[in-house]
Amino acid sequence: MRTEHDQAGAGEAPAPKPVKKNYIRPLDIKHGRIDMGHGAGGKAAAQLIEELFLAAFDNEFLRQGDDGAVLALPAFDPAEGRLVMATDGHVISPLFFPGGDIGCLSVHGTVNDVAMSGARPLYLSASFIIEEGFPLIDLQRIVQSMAAASREAGVPVVTGDTKVVEQGKGDGVFISTTGVGVLPPGVSISGRHARPGDVVLVSGSIGDHGVAVLSQRESLAFETTIQSDTAALHTLVAAMLAAAPGAVRVLRDPTRGGLATTLNEVARQSGVGMLLQEAAIPVKPQVDAACELLGLDPLYVANEGKLIAVVAPEAAEAVLAAMRAHPLGQDAARIGEVTTDPHHFVQMATRFGGRRVVDWLSGEQLPRIC
């Protein structure tokens, strides 16, 4: 039998033996759970990132494998073009609800925050805080939903982070996302820009998201056909801006606090009042019935796929038509106008011919709704 030394030749050192790789078993998605090792930065963390997160979010930026992503920006004149950045934390309970989950919600929420400045969203980052013991199959479902929402919106998740906290010191999973977008030259949209005489538009029925989430709460569970309206609104915004350049003064997505709180924010920022028409505000009968059952006012219930626009009066019909031509604005409505009011009140003409003040939300009506 020839020895290793003989094979190498007289006077030569033996050939090095091949190094055996330390293979790891694939993640047991079906039965596995998050443990503290998944957040320790070692082999278990690397495996979780590669087999669950990278498998779902895969794109050229994440494949760089660095602590940060090197990104390309659209060419624009630095004197005119500007970047928009927004961040949002998501702590919704329950994590899964009719029409969505915390994964897609975390994409839609931040894409919409960027879009409400009139910007085109470009990139997202994502940070996960995961509780020890959280089922891997639920985490995979959330991540895959998030990845699908990102791809559908055309806004990739380009960097991220994962941390694990001890059992009992979290509540499943929390997700924070940050978005970056580019604002075209000449676009200036802000809550400060509403003027007396402007028209207030809403892109569809209000309160759907809040009712859908509440229907799954253990203490409040009830039957409903309502689904969350969670959606990315940037393509709707683009259609509105194209229909009447320079005419859209304010854009907001009425999330926590609902329509009422959002309009109060705008009234205060712009130093104006508002007069709404109750009969014009779209509310689905199922949402109205659920709110009556729970003692809630739909005006204060959260939305995740609707926007409010304050538009110059001469362009209101053109913008409204553009909204109704878009899949996410088919039920858009003209619901009021901006008024001169030194007190900055939002008022509403009721169906019975009277008026009432639509005040700010007092306290937390619906905790952990997004």
Side-chain angles (χ1 to χ4, degrees):
M1 180 181 293
R2 299 178 64 191
T3 66
E4 193 172 58
H5 180 71
D6 292 335
Q7 293 171 350
E12 296 181 15
K17 295 180 179 179
V19 178
K20 184 178 180 181
K21 292 183 179 179
N22 186 14
Y23 289 104
I24 307 174
R25 292 181 180 176
L27 287 174
D28 183 359
I29 297 293
K30 187 174 182 180
H31 302 103
R33 292 180 177 270
I34 289 292
D35 61 41
M36 295 305 295
H38 288 123
K43 192 177 295 183
Q47 183 185 19
L48 179 70
I49 290 169
E50 182 176 342
E51 295 185 20
L52 201 151
F53 290 100
L54 287 181
F57 293 129
D58 182 48
N59 59 60
E60 60 181 303
F61 306 105
L62 286 176
R63 281 186 234 118
Q64 295 169 5
D66 297 322
D67 286 346
V70 178
L71 307 171
L73 289 175
F76 58 80
D77 183 346
E80 295 183 336
R82 292 148 292 166
L83 293 179
V84 172
M85 186 175 182
T87 193
D88 207 353
H90 304 273
V91 298
I92 193 166
S93 177
L95 299 174
F96 305 97
F97 47 86
D101 54 63
I102 193 173
C104 65
L105 182 67
S106 66
V107 170
H108 296 154
T110 297
V111 165
N112 292 345
D113 285 347
V114 172
M116 292 307 110
S117 295
R120 177 166 64 90
L122 298 176
Y123 307 112
L124 292 170
S125 72
S127 174
F128 291 77
I129 307 296
I130 312 170
E131 185 181 16
E132 179 186 18
F134 191 69
L136 286 175
I137 194 167
D138 287 345
L139 182 60
Q140 182 188 59
R141 180 180 170 189
I142 289 167
V143 170
Q144 288 179 344
S145 171
M146 192 173 178
S150 168
R151 283 191 290 269
E152 184 178 355
V155 186
V157 176
V158 299
T159 189
D161 186 51
T162 303
K163 295 291 190 296
V164 177
V165 297
E166 298 90 341
Q167 195 160 21
K169 295 188 177 179
D171 191 8
V173 61
F174 300 148
I175 304 175
S176 294
T177 45
T178 297
V180 176
V182 63
L183 189 64
V187 174
S188 180
I189 295 173
S190 168
R192 304 185 306 273
H193 293 170
R195 305 173 188 173
D198 284 350
V199 174
V200 182
L201 308 176
V202 67
S203 64
S205 59
I206 63 170
D208 296 6
H209 174 74
V211 167
V213 172
L214 283 177
S215 73
Q216 301 300 300
R217 294 263 171 99
E218 289 184 8
S219 58
L220 296 172
F222 56 90
E223 292 291 330
T224 181
T225 58
I226 291 295
Q227 302 237 327
S228 170
D229 59 355
T230 181
L233 297 170
H234 57 308
T235 58
L236 173 60
V237 170
M240 294 166 63
L241 299 185
V248 178
R249 307 203 207 276
V250 181
L251 288 170
R252 285 289 173 88
D253 55 335
T255 54
R256 287 173 298 169
L259 178 75
T261 297
T262 303
L263 290 179
N264 272 281
E265 290 173 353
V266 173
R268 185 178 67 173
Q269 276 186 273
S270 293
V272 296
M274 294 189 185
L275 178 61
L276 308 179
Q277 300 296 323
E278 184 178 24
I281 299 172
V283 183
K284 290 188 175 80
Q286 306 97 306
V287 170
D288 206 23
C291 287
E292 186 174 352
L293 173 69
L294 299 170
L296 302 175
D297 186 336
L299 294 176
Y300 297 92
V301 177
N303 311 269
E304 287 292 345
K306 300 297 189 304
L307 64 78
I308 298 164
V310 178
V311 182
E314 65 274 12
E317 290 306 313
V319 175
L320 185 59
M323 295 169 75
R324 289 174 172 169
H326 191 281
L328 295 176
Q330 292 176 348
D331 296 323
R334 177 174 179 155
I335 62 170
E337 64 181 22
V338 180
T339 63
T340 301
D341 185 345
H343 303 292
H344 317 323
F345 287 155
V346 176
Q347 299 183 66
M348 185 164 68
T350 69
R351 290 184 175 89
F352 304 105
R355 284 194 185 187
R356 71 176 178 92
V357 173
V358 179
D359 207 349
W360 291 76
L361 175 64
S362 178
E364 181 63 272
Q365 185 184 42
L366 301 171
R368 297 183 60 183
I369 205 72
C370 59

